[in-house]
Amino acid sequence: VNLSKCIVEVNDSPPTSDNGKRSLESHALTTKQYFLVNLSKCIVEVNDSPPTSDNGKRSLESHALTTKQYFLVNLSKCIVELTGTAVIGLFYLLIGDQQVGMLLGYWIVTLFGISISGAHFNPAITLVIMLRKNSSFGTRRLKGLLYMGAQFLGGIIAGMVALFIVESSNHDLAVKPVRVDEYTEMDTKKGFAAMVSELSGSFALIFLFMICTDKKTQFSSDKVINCFIIASSYCAARLMGGGRLVTAIQQIPFDNTLLSRSSQTLTYKLVGPLLNPALAFGQCIVSGFDFTYWFQYILMPFAGSALALVFYELVFVRSQEYMAEDTEDESDAGLILDTHSPKSDEKKERKASVEEEEEEEKEEKA
């Protein structure tokens, strides 16, 4: 709307015609003015405005938009999802072993995106929102696929940025299960423990996320408090999933005297559960397409999200509905008991006696 105003401020307005009015005819304009005048028309041609609704206003509902319009309307939300996922992934790779830092970082990022995109930052969460009955995505679930694409891209960007911060030649950024005994020569890792960790942690995270984002079940209507609860849920889910005992990032300290990487001592940075398929995918990509543990860190969070969805819809929501019905029945029963209480009977008797006395006085006066 303000594009034409900005153009007028920067560039002189078109010349006047014989009647004193500004002329937009092509023969009265310079080449630059002619281009600027028609710029808005070109924008309209490229991006059709949304159709009008019944009340005459522009409608941004998904069913009223074409595929191109739907993508353009949700582009800003996808950018927020990409940025938030990348920032969280960077936090994980740099300070994943510090729970306080992860809590504060996740809280700030969630505050940044909660009002724009819903602050999913996780394909497993987006998948659950897509599959819910009363989804915030509406009847058209294409936005969920756009979110997931942006999140996976954000995971790759997080890994690429981390390569510039840490010594990429000495570090393997892909998460792996820790070894059973780090001081033995056996390379036995906690693969099954990592699978259970990602499954249970994702279940807890996504279940609490649905509670916090559903207006019927959320703990607070204040966005700041609600975002803090979501961030706390992420840290709590990571601790419930085994903390720093299961998942780590394998590191190889650099030593110029050692010619081969195999002769160097392997160490671990104990970071804890990841609970995010997009971040795991990005770490695998930047680590030389190392998808050795894709089952634990990419597939298991989706399985945990499916379990969380089933438990939330079939158990938690229905139990809340039953409890609400019970409280209504109790309140109705309390009203009925109150009407038959001795105090209410005494009040009725007093009122009746007062009315009888008033009627007797009226008769005597008559």
Side-chain angles (χ1 to χ4, degrees):
V1 172
N2 293 286
L3 181 60
S4 59
K5 299 179 182 178
C6 297
I7 292 173
V8 170
E9 290 293 330
V10 177
N11 304 283
D12 295 333
S13 58
T16 57
S17 60
D18 297 335
N19 56 5
K21 296 182 179 180
R22 297 296 180 182
S23 174
L24 297 181
E25 297 296 330
S26 59
H27 63 274
L29 302 176
T30 63
T31 303
K32 182 177 71 173
Q33 292 171 341
Y34 183 77
F35 172 77
L36 293 173
V37 166
N38 290 281
L39 179 62
S40 59
K41 299 180 181 179
C42 296
I43 294 175
V44 172
E45 290 294 329
V46 174
N47 303 295
D48 296 331
S49 58
T52 55
S53 58
D54 297 333
N55 56 5
K57 296 182 179 180
R58 297 296 182 185
S59 174
L60 295 181
E61 298 295 330
S62 60
H63 63 272
L65 302 175
T66 64
T67 303
K68 183 179 70 174
Q69 293 169 345
Y70 188 77
F71 173 77
L72 293 173
V73 166
N74 293 284
L75 182 60
S76 60
K77 300 179 181 179
C78 294
I79 294 174
V80 170
E81 287 293 317
L82 184 149
T83 306
T85 305
V87 172
I88 292 175
L90 197 59
F91 283 159
Y92 180 86
L93 292 172
L94 299 180
I95 57 171
D97 55 342
Q98 302 175 19
Q99 295 295 337
V100 176
M102 290 298 298
L103 171 64
L104 297 178
Y106 203 99
W107 183 22
I108 297 302
V109 175
T110 305
L111 279 172
F112 166 71
I114 191 68
S115 300
I116 303 174
S117 66
H120 297 178
F121 308 138
N122 192 327
I125 294 177
T126 303
L127 180 64
V128 166
I129 302 301
M130 287 176 62
L131 298 178
R132 289 192 61 185
K133 293 180 180 178
N134 300 323
S135 175
S136 59
F137 290 162
T139 58
R140 202 172 188 179
R141 308 302 169 90
L142 177 62
K143 182 164 64 175
L145 299 178
L146 298 176
Y147 275 23
M148 294 173 70
Q151 291 157 0
F152 277 105
L153 183 58
I156 297 174
I157 293 175
M160 295 177 65
V161 173
L163 290 178
F164 291 97
I165 298 177
V166 300
E167 297 178 2
S168 59
S169 60
N170 308 329
H171 293 262
D172 187 0
L173 296 181
V175 290
K176 294 179 175 64
V178 299
R179 295 169 61 175
V180 176
D181 190 353
E182 189 176 351
Y183 301 99
T184 62
E185 297 181 357
M186 297 179 62
D187 193 18
T188 304
K189 297 183 178 180
K190 300 180 179 179
F192 181 76
M195 181 180 67
V196 176
S197 172
E198 293 293 317
L199 179 69
S200 59
S202 297
F203 172 84
L205 169 63
I206 295 170
F207 174 70
L208 293 172
F209 184 89
M210 286 190 289
I211 292 178
C212 293
T213 54
D214 193 341
K215 293 182 179 180
K216 296 180 181 179
T217 58
Q218 62 184 187
F219 299 104
S220 174
S221 58
D222 189 350
K223 290 183 179 180
V224 177
I225 298 176
N226 219 25
C227 291
F228 184 79
I229 296 174
I230 294 174
S232 302
S233 301
Y234 177 69
C235 295
R238 295 184 66 211
L239 294 174
M240 292 170 60
R244 301 169 60 188
L245 302 177
V246 180
T247 298
I249 297 177
Q250 184 174 290
Q251 298 179 347
I252 304 175
F254 183 73
D255 189 354
N256 289 326
T257 61
L258 300 177
L259 299 179
S260 63
R261 291 169 63 94
S262 60
S263 60
Q264 298 179 7
T265 304
L266 298 177
T267 60
Y268 288 93
K269 180 181 180 180
L270 304 176
V271 289
L274 183 56
L275 312 181
N276 195 319
L279 299 183
F281 179 79
Q283 293 169 11
C284 293
I285 291 293
V286 299
S287 299
F289 293 88
D290 183 8
F291 288 93
T292 305
Y293 299 100
W294 67 271
F295 186 82
Q296 286 89 345
Y297 298 105
I298 296 179
L299 183 61
M300 280 298 103
F302 285 114
S305 66
L307 293 177
L309 176 63
V310 172
F311 181 79
Y312 182 82
E313 293 289 348
L314 301 182
V315 178
F316 183 77
V317 173
R318 291 188 178 182
S319 64
Q320 294 293 319
E321 293 175 354
Y322 292 151
M323 292 175 62
E325 292 177 357
D326 292 339
T327 53
E328 290 178 358
D329 294 339
E330 290 178 358
S331 61
D332 293 339
L335 291 175
I336 295 172
L337 291 174
D338 289 340
T339 55
H340 294 286
S341 62
K343 293 182 179 180
S344 61
D345 294 338
E346 291 179 359
K347 290 180 180 179
K348 289 182 179 180
E349 291 178 357
R350 291 177 182 176
K351 186 176 180 180
S353 62
V354 171
E355 291 177 353
E356 290 178 359
E357 291 178 356
E358 290 178 353
E359 290 180 357
E360 291 178 355
E361 290 179 356
K362 290 180 180 179
E363 292 176 356
E364 290 177 357
K365 291 180 179 179

